[in-house]
Amino acid sequence: MTSGAAGDHDEPDDHGHEEQHGDDDFDELEGEFMRRRIRRNRAGTFTLNLPDEERQLLTGLPAQLRELLGAGDQPSLRRLFPAAYHLDAEKDAEFHELMRSELLATKISRAELLESTAHARELTEEQLLGWMGAVNDLRLVLGTQLDVGEDDEDVDADDPRAGHFGLYRYLGYLLENIIRALR
């Protein structure tokens, strides 16, 4: 999302800093959806202001991700396990042989964390960092399945993929909320 022009300010955050963003930020998001979902509180933990519908969604999506991760090499996982050595297939295969199981375990652990804490009211920084990884993984998989390009985020409402693109945008919005809260 675009950073704002100087002078575009919101209310101060929990640290007394003013947020800056332009008029184009969150242009697809309206009304209730514009509300910040995650805020750092004075105790150093993070308060989650998520509606029940979003919490339900965040409880169900990780199971789908774990199922995909358990299915082995799937085309929709290619962004989760990108090539480490683009010009050397042998080195790349060796890297994946050494690292894939560790990367896989991390991704599964983060998905489980998201699923188990989706209904929590507060998260620790460590938990929120786990959320960030899981939400990013979900977004990467969905973006790969949709074959998202820079011009693809706006689809017609009658496009059969419109709901999936809405979910993709929501995950991006949530990821941005996580990053803002962690700053």
Side-chain angles (χ1 to χ4, degrees):
M1 303 215 173
T2 60
S3 61
D8 290 345
H9 297 282
D10 272 345
E11 296 176 23
D13 66 12
D14 293 338
H15 302 290
H17 302 104
E18 288 187 5
E19 292 183 51
Q20 296 184 3
H21 60 80
D23 293 333
D24 293 337
D25 281 355
F26 311 116
D27 60 347
E28 302 93 16
L29 310 172
E30 298 180 294
E32 173 66 18
F33 202 62
M34 292 287 291
R35 184 169 65 91
R36 284 186 55 195
R37 300 294 198 237
I38 303 165
R39 291 185 183 270
R40 183 185 301 266
N41 60 40
R42 292 175 196 251
T45 58
F46 297 86
T47 302
L48 303 177
N49 297 309
L50 300 171
D52 288 338
E53 301 81 30
E54 291 177 31
R55 291 176 186 278
Q56 290 296 85
L57 182 67
L58 295 174
T59 300
L61 288 174
Q64 295 175 40
L65 178 60
R66 284 196 319 274
E67 184 178 321
L68 266 175
L69 289 168
D73 265 347
Q74 296 289 318
S76 59
L77 298 177
R78 76 174 187 268
R79 290 184 185 166
L80 294 185
F81 303 101
Y85 298 94
H86 293 281
L87 302 176
D88 190 331
E90 188 175 313
K91 279 187 178 180
D92 190 58
E94 184 178 320
F95 172 81
H96 282 282
E97 185 177 321
L98 292 171
M99 297 302 300
R100 186 173 176 106
S101 63
E102 185 177 328
L103 292 170
L104 183 62
T106 298
K107 291 175 184 313
I108 290 171
S109 175
R110 293 189 306 209
E112 289 171 345
L113 172 71
L114 176 60
E115 183 176 34
S116 68
T117 59
H119 290 280
R121 297 293 172 206
E122 283 190 0
L123 297 177
T124 65
E125 184 169 338
E126 182 179 344
Q127 289 172 319
L128 190 58
L129 287 168
W131 270 48
M132 182 171 65
V135 170
N136 188 56
D137 289 346
L138 288 164
R139 190 168 186 267
L140 286 171
V141 168
L142 186 56
T144 302
Q145 291 172 344
L146 294 170
D147 196 26
V148 171
E150 288 188 31
D151 298 330
D152 291 337
E153 286 200 43
D154 293 327
V155 295
D156 293 329
D158 59 344
D159 186 312
R161 304 169 306 152
H164 289 103
F165 274 94
L167 176 57
Y168 178 78
R169 284 190 301 273
Y170 168 73
L171 292 171
Y173 168 74
L174 184 60
L175 189 58
E176 183 165 329
N177 268 259
I178 292 169
I179 292 166
R180 283 176 181 244
L182 286 165
R183 284 196 258 169

